[in-house]
Structure formats: C-alpha cells, structure tokens
Amino acid sequence: MKYVAYDRLLHPARASGGWARFCIGLLVFVVLGLVLNTSLAVGMADGLSRLGLLPRGVNELAEGRSPLTLILLLFTFLGYIFALMAVLWLFHRRSSLLGLIGSLPVALRQGGRVFFYSALLFALVSLVPSDPDYPLQSNIPLGSWLVLLTPLLIGLFVQVSAEELVFRGYFQSQLAARGAPAVVWLILPSICFGFLHHQPDLMGPNAWLITAWSALFGLAAADLTARAGTLGPAIAMHLINNLYAIGIVSQADYLDGAALFVVARPLDDPTLIWDWVPQEILVTFCLWLVARLALRR
C-alpha cells in the first residue's frame, strides 16, 4: 500500500545525507548510546550507594525491583536520546528531534486518540479472569501507587519515546528516505527492535518467541507511523502497553518495582509459550486495530 502521510515525515530525512552517513551514524549511535546509557546507570547507582539506598549498586538498579530503581532505570534511556541528538547533528545536520516526530500538533492529537482508545482496550483486557494457577497478587497499596503514578508515567514516556525515536523516527525513516522498499523499512527495524528484548538468560526457552512478539509489536508501530505521518500513535500505543505491563500487572521479580499487581510466574516457564505469549500477540493485534480506528476518527 501507499503510505501517503509518511511522505511529510520523510521530507527532512531526504536532505540529510546518503547511505554512508546513515550507516556510520547508526554505528556511532549504538556505541555512544550504550556508553551514555551505562554512564547514567553507573552514576545513579554510585550516588544512591553512597547514600545507602542501593547496597548492590548498578546490578540492583538494573533489576528495577523497587519504585526508585525502576523509575531511575527508565530515565537511563535519556542516554539514547542524547546519543541520537548528537548523531543527527554530526552526520545529518539536523538540530532538533522534532523532525523525527513530525508535526507536533498533529502528533499530539493522533497520540491522544490512540492512547484513549488503547486504554479502553486494556480496561477490557483487565476484566479477563487471571490464570487460577498464577493469580494476581497485590504488590503496592493503591494509595502509594497513585503517588508513584506521575513519576512512573514520565519515566515510561522517556523510555518509549527513546525507542520510538530511534527505531521508527530515525532507523525506519532514514531507510525509507534513502529509497529502500517498504518491506525493508517496515521489517528490518522491527526485527532489530525485537532483538533488543532478547534475554535468554532470563527467559530461557521462551526467549525467541518473546523476541518474535516484540518484533511484531515493532511492526505494528512501524505501520502506524507510516499511516499517520507522525510518531504520535506509535508512542501512545507503546506507552499504554508498557504502563500496563510494568505499572499495573507485572511479572514478579522482574521490573516489578512500581506495579500495582504481580503474577508470580517465571519468565522461563516452558508453558508460558502456549499460555501467555499467544495472548500477548492477540492483544498486540487488537491494539493495532484500535489505533487504526482512532486515526480514522
């Protein structure tokens, strides 16, 4: 299909250098992003350790098992945003991230609609009874969780914005602007996005299927970006998804520091492949359909 609206988002990228600059810029981003992200994490962990708030240092921060460590972990994604800003300026002579987002008023309007409709979908999903073998367990009292909600939302917004700016705003759009076929700029960044979530040490036999599900989520975000001509819908869909998965119902012992409820089911449980992952794939498909509906209204 023709993504007519996408052309407006690609216009700034077309005048920002050819394949060589893009490839070198992507490589520099990966290295610089990892350095800045790690530096932020180590700096935060060191400061908290000196105050006696983080006995195990950066390893404890990476686990996100408390509200403080989880929210700070989300803010380490600022390192990737700073790295992307540097690459845009050094290799593409672009001084702002706004060119990766598209028209800001349009992005806000589209994102607001997608967030609202997606929130309604997750409200319906929450009515589905939980697995009786793995019931929901209260993790944080509601009053305390409501206090945490604002900083959690800000942290999640930083995290999902960083990922969408990199994978859809930069990687995908630069490929499209350079004339790559749609099948390439839709699928290649989505596969890379999936591998970002590949954790075999944590997920065991489920790692590859969860990676595939993450890639499908990236593909849905890629399609929405091309349809809308802004990053607004992708950021909104990503935000509501992560808010539910990290802030409302999380896996116990994994990034559960600010979750209202947890499910005590190991991510390396072999039965997870047949029980949980297919449901997540279905929810992702429904999220994509709901977002498309929101964009048409």
Side-chain angles (χ1 to χ4, degrees):
M1 65 168 295
K2 292 184 178 180
Y3 292 104
V4 178
Y6 198 28
D7 190 67
R8 295 192 297 272
L9 189 59
L10 298 181
H11 180 71
R14 290 195 177 102
S16 63
W19 283 106
R21 285 190 184 183
F22 168 53
C23 293
I24 296 172
L26 195 60
L27 179 61
V28 171
F29 164 77
V30 171
V31 175
L32 184 59
L34 287 173
V35 169
L36 293 179
N37 174 266
T38 303
S39 298
L40 278 173
V42 171
M44 290 177 180
D46 183 62
L48 291 173
S49 297
R50 292 176 185 274
L51 295 173
L53 299 176
L54 210 65
R56 293 191 292 114
V58 71
N59 291 329
E60 187 173 351
L61 180 68
E63 294 172 358
R65 297 297 317 283
S66 71
L68 178 62
T69 57
L70 177 67
I71 291 170
L72 290 180
L73 181 63
L74 294 171
F75 275 99
T76 63
F77 279 78
L78 285 170
Y80 294 114
I81 294 178
F82 295 148
L84 183 57
M85 292 173 63
V87 165
L88 287 174
W89 183 77
L90 289 171
F91 294 96
H92 303 285
R93 294 298 182 261
R94 300 172 69 174
S95 59
S96 172
L97 293 174
L98 291 178
L100 303 181
I101 298 171
S103 170
L104 193 56
V106 176
L108 290 172
R109 183 171 66 251
Q110 292 173 335
R113 288 177 180 173
V114 170
F115 188 89
F116 175 75
Y117 278 77
S118 299
L120 291 179
L121 174 63
F122 273 111
L124 292 175
V125 169
S126 66
L127 298 178
V128 177
S130 61
D131 188 332
D133 294 329
Y134 300 96
L136 293 181
Q137 301 175 8
S138 179
N139 187 51
I140 295 178
L142 180 59
S144 301
W145 183 79
L146 290 173
V147 173
L148 290 170
L149 185 57
T150 296
L152 175 62
L153 278 171
I154 295 172
L156 285 170
F157 182 76
V158 168
Q159 180 242 326
V160 302
S161 295
E163 292 184 356
E164 293 305 324
L165 284 166
V166 170
F167 286 97
R168 262 62 72 177
Y170 181 65
F171 194 179
Q172 174 182 320
S173 292
Q174 285 291 335
L175 283 173
R178 304 277 74 78
V183 68
V184 173
W185 53 256
L186 283 170
I187 294 178
L188 182 57
S190 301
I191 291 174
C192 293
F193 178 77
F195 274 100
L196 181 70
H197 299 80
H198 187 64
Q199 298 176 279
D201 292 343
L202 177 68
M203 300 173 182
N206 302 320
W208 282 107
L209 191 56
I210 293 175
T211 298
W213 163 70
S214 300
L216 285 175
F217 186 93
L219 184 60
D223 176 76
L224 288 178
T225 299
R227 288 177 185 274
T230 78
L231 281 188
I235 290 175
M237 182 181 72
H238 203 158
L239 179 60
I240 195 69
N241 179 80
N242 285 20
L243 173 61
Y244 188 82
I246 293 176
I248 299 179
V249 180
S250 179
Q251 295 288 328
D253 302 325
Y254 176 67
L255 302 181
D256 60 347
L260 186 59
F261 301 101
V262 295
V263 177
R265 184 173 193 173
L267 284 171
D268 60 357
D269 180 352
T271 63
L272 197 70
I273 291 178
W274 309 112
D275 295 343
W276 179 72
V277 174
Q279 296 176 30
E280 291 300 308
I281 292 174
L282 179 60
V283 169
T284 298
F285 178 69
C286 292
L287 262 180
W288 174 69
L289 290 179
V290 164
R292 287 189 57 184
L293 176 63
L295 291 175
R296 289 182 178 182
R297 298 185 67 83

